Amino acid sequence: MEKTYKYPKNWFKHNVIPVPTGLAGGNCSACLFRDNRPFCEKLACVYIDTRGEEDYVESVYWRARDTHASIGMWPELVNFFDAIPKQRMRDISIDIMTKAVLSKKKENSH
């Protein structure tokens, strides 16, 4: 049986964007969650791929789609994090982050 949550699974994807840094180390100072450790700990921000000849590691920082919301935590975001269990939030962020990093990697390989 599938669990249901207060928010649809795509809410985070439609409101928050991962920005690949091009580096293994993050850019925490640019991240929406930089001063909110409990939220930060629920997220994944480092993509690691060890399947190739060389390991590929890249990090992302997170920003809001609407720039006005990047000033701080807006109530819907706080409610979202409160409603979603930690592992589910990590799974959501890993999926979104992976797509962003692989898309950037594909663009750079041409």
Side-chain angles (χ1 to χ4, degrees), residues 1-48:
M1 188 166 110
E2 188 173 320
K3 287 185 180 181
T4 57
Y5 299 100
K6 184 177 176 182
Y7 284 85
K9 68 179 184 176
N10 289 331
W11 187 91
F12 191 77
K13 178 172 73 173
H14 293 300
N15 289 282
V16 182
I17 300 169
V19 180
T21 64
L23 307 168
N27 185 357
C28 296
S29 63
C31 189
L32 173 64
F33 302 102
R34 67 187 164 275
D35 293 325
N36 197 318
R37 188 176 191 105
F39 286 12
C40 183
E41 290 175 351
K42 278 188 161 186
L43 294 167
C45 61
V46 178
Y47 172 83
I48 301 172

Side-chain angles (χ1 to χ4, degrees), residues 13-106:
K13 178 172 73 173
H14 293 300
N15 289 282
V16 182
I17 300 169
V19 180
T21 64
L23 307 168
N27 185 357
C28 296
S29 63
C31 189
L32 173 64
F33 302 102
R34 67 187 164 275
D35 293 325
N36 197 318
R37 188 176 191 105
F39 286 12
C40 183
E41 290 175 351
K42 278 188 161 186
L43 294 167
C45 61
V46 178
Y47 172 83
I48 301 172
D49 185 354
T50 58
R51 296 173 293 174
E53 291 180 22
E54 294 184 24
D55 292 349
Y56 181 78
V57 180
E58 183 162 352
S59 63
V60 300
Y61 64 90
W62 298 91
R63 71 172 182 83
R65 281 196 187 270
D66 296 327
T67 55
H68 71 276
S70 294
I71 296 168
M73 298 297 137
W74 67 100
E76 287 179 322
L77 182 64
V78 172
N79 292 340
F80 178 81
F81 269 82
D82 288 347
I84 304 297
K86 181 178 182 174
Q87 189 56 52
R88 179 68 178 136
M89 188 65 242
R90 288 192 65 75
D91 293 344
I92 291 168
S93 63
I94 287 169
D95 181 54
I96 297 167
M97 172 193 62
T98 299
K99 289 175 184 166
V101 169
L102 293 178
S103 175
K104 180 185 174 215
K105 184 178 178 183
K106 186 177 177 181

